Amino acid sequence: MEPDTILLNADCLNILKKINAQSVDLILTDPPYNLGLFMQNRDTNLRKMRSNFFGASDWDNLNYEQWIKSLDLFFQEAAQIIKIGGSMIVFMAIIKVESVIKIAERHGFYYKTTGIWHKLNPMPRNMNLHFVNSTEAWIYFTYKTKTGTFNNNGDVIHDFVETALTVRSEKTYGKHPTQKPIQLMEHFIKILSNKGDLVIDPFMGSGSTGVAAKLLGRNFIGIEINQTYFTIAKNRIEEINVSERT
């Protein structure tokens, strides 16, 4: 039986209120880092080097107080839908990690660790001026418990994940400025959930979490407010034929 998939073009704060309480096993998401205004004031040459630079988007340029308020509302709603013992992975800029942890803990999420995603082929911008940015942070929480599903099969799993950036074949329907590779999302879904579990991505973007969830036999709810990115995600996820891969 193929997993159930629900995709919604809407504000996640409105949709999360309607999801059944304690029904979600894993929240895996990549919310806005709120670096737009910060990056626009730095001499990074990103506008010249990348046409869809996130700093030029309107979803990443809130002031700090607005961003904190929006995150607080998100965690408030997330706490209502996740199961006790459920897990959450939130990608985040390293300079914002402490802020996210403080907010999450207020809503009952137990902070487990901060890990690193290392990009094997980062954009070599300003490579003759300073260190090339090749990492992003991810934060691991469980809800109301100090442990949750952890499918390590007896292996040591480090808090350091390496993959290449999103390959061209994953951008067939269009691209997102902060698109994550399917391989990266599969890594977390395999470890922190089981087949038949419900995975949700409230900031779905171009749908990498949904593709990975469907391929791995998880039920999925994806929410994306931007119509363009929602259409990309919908096309990508609906293209997957699980029966041909199992």
Side-chain angles (χ1 to χ4, degrees):
M1 180 182 294
E2 288 201 6
D4 291 330
T5 300
I6 299 173
L7 307 176
L8 300 162
N9 181 203
D11 186 330
C12 70
L13 294 179
N14 296 330
I15 299 299
L16 295 180
K17 298 177 186 296
K18 302 175 182 179
I19 295 174
N20 291 338
Q22 296 186 19
S23 63
V24 175
D25 298 282
L26 171 63
I27 300 173
L28 174 56
T29 197
D30 185 21
Y33 293 0
N34 193 44
L35 293 177
L37 297 178
F38 173 75
M39 293 299 290
Q40 288 175 36
N41 292 326
R42 292 171 56 79
D43 186 18
T44 59
N45 293 325
L46 274 175
R47 287 179 184 274
K48 298 176 182 177
M49 298 180 70
R50 193 167 73 189
S51 61
N52 62 338
F53 168 43
F54 69 88
S57 64
D58 58 3
W59 45 260
D60 202 49
N61 60 2
L62 296 176
N63 64 45
Y64 183 74
E65 290 73 22
Q66 291 172 321
W67 180 73
I68 289 294
K69 182 178 180 179
S70 68
L71 268 188
D72 187 70
L73 290 172
F74 163 65
F75 276 100
Q76 176 181 306
E77 298 302 331
Q80 302 304 310
I81 64 171
I82 194 168
K83 293 178 179 178
I84 293 175
S87 299
M88 176 187 282
I89 293 286
V90 179
F91 287 91
M92 186 50 54
I94 293 173
I95 62 174
K96 299 294 182 68
V97 166
E98 184 178 10
S99 297
V100 174
I101 293 171
K102 286 181 177 178
I103 294 170
E105 288 182 332
R106 288 205 298 265
H107 293 286
F109 288 89
Y110 177 74
Y111 169 64
K112 296 279 285 183
T113 192
T114 299
I116 292 296
W117 170 40
H118 178 224
K119 309 165 193 177
L120 294 171
N121 55 339
M123 181 187 297
R125 64 174 184 264
N126 293 333
M127 58 179 287
N128 296 319
L129 301 177
H130 54 62
F131 300 102
V132 172
N133 180 6
S134 64
T135 63
E136 289 181 37
W138 48 267
I139 314 169
Y140 172 30
F141 300 99
T142 49
Y143 184 64
K144 295 286 188 180
T145 62
K146 294 185 178 181
T147 190
T149 298
F150 196 76
N151 299 317
N152 67 324
N153 299 316
D155 297 328
V156 175
I157 301 179
H158 294 187
D159 56 4
F160 182 82
V161 186
E162 286 188 307
T163 76
L165 292 173
T166 306
V167 296
R168 184 174 298 178
S169 62
E170 294 179 20
K171 299 179 180 181
T172 303
Y173 293 104
K175 57 186 178 180
H176 187 284
T178 61
Q179 186 167 333
K180 299 294 185 288
I182 295 170
Q183 179 186 359
L184 178 64
M185 311 316 268
E186 285 182 327
H187 173 79
F188 292 109
I189 292 172
K190 288 177 182 177
I191 297 169
L192 301 177
S193 70
N194 298 306
K195 284 190 174 182
D197 280 357
L198 176 56
V199 177
I200 183 171
D201 187 346
F203 302 93
M204 180 172 60
S206 58
S208 295
T209 306
V211 172
K214 191 170 181 180
L215 288 172
L216 294 172
R218 274 62 165 176
N219 299 308
F220 177 71
I221 299 176
I223 310 166
E224 172 55 43
I225 194 171
N226 181 284
Q227 176 66 63
T228 299
Y229 299 140
F230 175 79
T231 300
I232 293 171
K234 185 173 184 291
N235 288 333
R236 291 181 69 202
I237 295 168
E238 290 183 346
E239 173 186 68
I240 301 300
N241 188 333
V242 176
S243 62
E244 293 180 356
R245 296 170 176 260
T246 58

